[in-house]
């Protein structure tokens, strides 16, 4: 697990960043800085999910360092401010709770692209791979060898299914669900 302080810009080590600023204008900029840091860190490390506390969640559970704690400068973001940051990220479409997209989740999917942008990338893959009008499982899209060079490779299946929904709304895709209602495949036209 890479320590955030080694891959993030210098502002990550700026002590006032860790204290919720009382001035509303400065606080908006402070929250925007935190959002940029979370997005940059997750994208650089290919993390799709974080806990409420800012700890990346990966399949091996090796990640135990919160982005909101900087041990080099001995600073941490108060939990109430962390919740404000996640709330703003959800509001801006840059995060969504893993519990059916709710803001008040214990884990969040981090979206360094918009859902529409992810949907367009998936559509591009279908067009480039010649898979239009064929059923492809969500697992194949997320983990398959054919998508290994695409940015969405490795995305959690529930998030990938959510990213396909804009294509469904444009009548370009259909999500196929199992008997419990969980999306398991898609057909893009």
């Amino acid at each position: 697990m890479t320590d955030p302080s080694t891959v993030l810009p210098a502002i990550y080590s700026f002590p006032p960043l860790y204290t919720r600023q009382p001035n509303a204008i400065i606080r908006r900029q402070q929250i925007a800085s935190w959002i940029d840091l979370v997005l940059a860190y997750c994208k650089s490390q290919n993390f799709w999910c974080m806990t409420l506390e800012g700890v990346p969640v990966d399949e091996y559970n090796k990640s135990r360092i919160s982005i909101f704690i900087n041990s080099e400068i001995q600073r941490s973001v108060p939990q109430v401010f962390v919740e404000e940051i996640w709330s703003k990220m959800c509001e801006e479409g840059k995060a969504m709770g893993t519990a059916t997209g709710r803001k008040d989740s214990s884990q969040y999917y981090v979206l360094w692209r918009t859902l529409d942008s992810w949907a367009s990338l998936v559509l591009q893959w279908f067009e480039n791979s010649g898979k239009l009008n064929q059923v492809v499982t969500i697992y194949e899209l997320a983990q398959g060898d054919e998508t290994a060079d695409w940015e969405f490779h490795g995305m959690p299946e529930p998030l990938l299914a959510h990213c396909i929904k804009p294509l469904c709304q444009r009548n370009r895709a259909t999500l196929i669900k199992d008997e419990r209602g969980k999306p398991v495949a898609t057909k893009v036209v």
Side-chain angles (χ1 to χ4, degrees):
M1 162 67 199
T2 305
D3 184 346
S5 62
T6 62
V7 294
L8 290 173
I11 194 168
Y12 184 69
S13 295
F14 184 58
L17 186 66
Y18 294 81
T19 304
R20 185 178 184 274
Q21 299 301 309
N23 180 296
I25 295 169
I26 294 172
R27 187 171 52 255
R28 274 195 299 276
Q29 181 56 48
Q30 181 185 27
I31 290 172
S33 294
W34 271 114
I35 290 171
D36 291 345
L37 288 169
V38 169
L39 295 175
Y41 181 59
C42 287
K43 184 176 182 180
S44 74
Q45 301 301 305
N46 208 31
F47 288 129
W48 301 98
C49 186
M50 285 187 133
T51 65
L52 174 64
E53 295 78 22
V55 177
V57 177
D58 66 10
E59 61 217 36
Y60 308 109
N61 277 334
K62 291 186 280 184
S63 311
R64 293 287 170 233
I65 300 171
S66 170
I67 193 168
F68 298 116
I69 298 173
N70 188 332
S71 55
E72 283 186 10
I73 61 170
Q74 299 178 351
R75 297 286 178 150
S76 64
V77 178
Q79 190 60 37
V80 69
F81 188 38
V82 169
E83 291 169 12
E84 188 176 346
I85 294 166
W86 283 119
S87 178
K88 188 66 171 172
M89 285 184 74
C90 289
E91 189 180 299
E92 293 180 359
K94 295 179 179 174
M96 59 185 283
T98 58
T100 63
R102 294 177 37 198
K103 279 191 200 180
D104 58 343
S105 185
S106 62
Q107 292 187 350
Y108 293 89
Y109 291 125
V110 178
L111 303 166
W112 56 84
R113 286 176 172 254
T114 65
L115 288 176
D116 280 336
S117 178
W118 284 117
S120 294
L121 193 63
V122 169
L123 177 60
Q124 185 181 352
W125 177 83
F126 270 91
E127 292 170 346
N128 290 355
S129 66
K131 300 278 185 178
L132 288 174
N133 294 312
Q134 296 179 29
V135 174
V136 176
T137 67
I138 302 296
Y139 177 82
E140 284 178 272
L141 277 174
Q143 304 298 329
D145 292 339
E146 293 182 63
T147 63
D149 295 332
W150 290 77
E151 192 176 0
F152 59 82
H153 184 81
M155 183 183 283
E157 292 176 41
L159 177 57
L160 187 54
H162 200 74
C163 290
I164 294 170
K165 287 181 181 177
L167 293 176
C168 296
Q169 293 166 348
R170 294 190 298 239
N171 296 320
R172 290 295 316 263
T174 303
L175 277 172
I176 301 164
K177 299 179 180 181
D178 65 11
E179 61 278 353
R180 295 179 312 252
K182 175 187 169 197
V184 292
T186 188
K187 181 177 179 180
V188 176
V189 293

